[in-house]
Structure formats: C-alpha cells, structure tokens
Amino acid sequence: MKPVETSRQQGFSLLEAIVALVILAGSCMALFAWINSSLVQLQRAELYVDAGPAIASISQYLKSVDLAQRPEGTFRSGDITVDWAATVIEQDVSRPATYGGSNFTLSLYDVKLTPYSATRALPPLHTRVVNYRLKPGLPDPSDGL
C-alpha cells in the first residue's frame, strides 16, 4: 500500500493575506489618528505658551482701566491679540459707616479674555477684576488737597 501524501501549503492563502492587510490598515489608522491629535495638542500648547505673557500683561492693564467707562476693548502684545469684555457682577459697593466706612466704591466684573494670533484662536478665558473709584463728592487726591 502506498502512503497517503498530504499536500503541503506554501505561502499564504488569499484570505489570510486580506485579513492581515485589514489588521495592518486598522492599526495604521489608529496610529495616525493618535499622532494627529498629539500634533494638534502641541500646536495649542505652543499658542498658550506664546499667549501667556500677553494674558499676564492684560491682567495688569485691566487693573488700571475703569471698566464702567470702558467695558470692552482689544489689547495687543507682540503677535498675540487679546479681546476682552467685562460684565458687571456687583457695582458700586461701599463699606458701611458702622464698619469705619470707606472713601471708595468697589465694583466686581467678570472679564472674558479671548487671545488669538494671526492663524489661531484660543478658547475664551474668564477672570474677575475689582475696580475701585473715589466716592462722589470727596476731594480728588491728585488735586493736592
């Protein structure tokens, strides 16, 4: 009796090759999506780094602006421009005379800062700023009195 010969397969079948290519394509798509999102986050981080000094500058600038008279504006620092808009939270609050009184009225503002460059914009940032003004009827200290 002759021994039964088994056929030996050499290489991959077409179905195995297609399955391998589908797995490879899916892996590559996931890898490229991850790389793309990482690059987008890197660009956003670079813009935040560039905008940091401008945001610090406008924070100092807003302390010197009377937000009741000028509730919005634009501030430019280098390549970064920051649009700002102030909304009143509390206006003209003063300390009662029973607690020693005060010569100033205070106002609290919510300020929305929107930094952007020539190519990209960042999401708006919110901060609060306290403005103070001399009470009406009191002598102005800059008059030398």
Side-chain angles (χ1 to χ4, degrees), residues 29-47 120:
M29 286 176 30
L31 178 66
F32 288 135
W34 176 70
I35 289 172
N36 183 43
S37 67
S38 295
L39 288 174
V40 167
Q41 291 298 329
L42 178 63
Q43 289 174 345
R44 181 178 283 172
E46 287 174 347
L47 188 53
R120 295 204 49 174

Side-chain angles (χ1 to χ4, degrees), residues 51-65 67 74-77 82-84 111-115 125-131:
I55 292 169
S57 295
I58 191 158
S59 296
Q60 292 300 316
Y61 172 74
L62 288 173
K63 291 178 182 178
S64 67
V65 173
L67 295 174
T74 300
F75 182 83
R76 184 162 176 81
S77 176
V82 181
D83 290 337
W84 54 275
V111 181
K112 181 173 109 175
L113 306 171
T114 308
L125 305 168
H126 287 269
T127 186
R128 291 192 173 175
V129 176
V130 175
N131 271 163

Side-chain angles (χ1 to χ4, degrees), residues 5 12 22-23 37-38 64 95 100 102 107-108 116 119 122-124 129 143-144:
E5 287 187 27
F12 292 106
V22 166
I23 292 172
S37 67
S38 295
S64 67
R95 190 173 184 183
S102 172
S107 297
L108 179 63
Y116 58 92
T119 57
L122 289 173
V129 176
D143 291 341

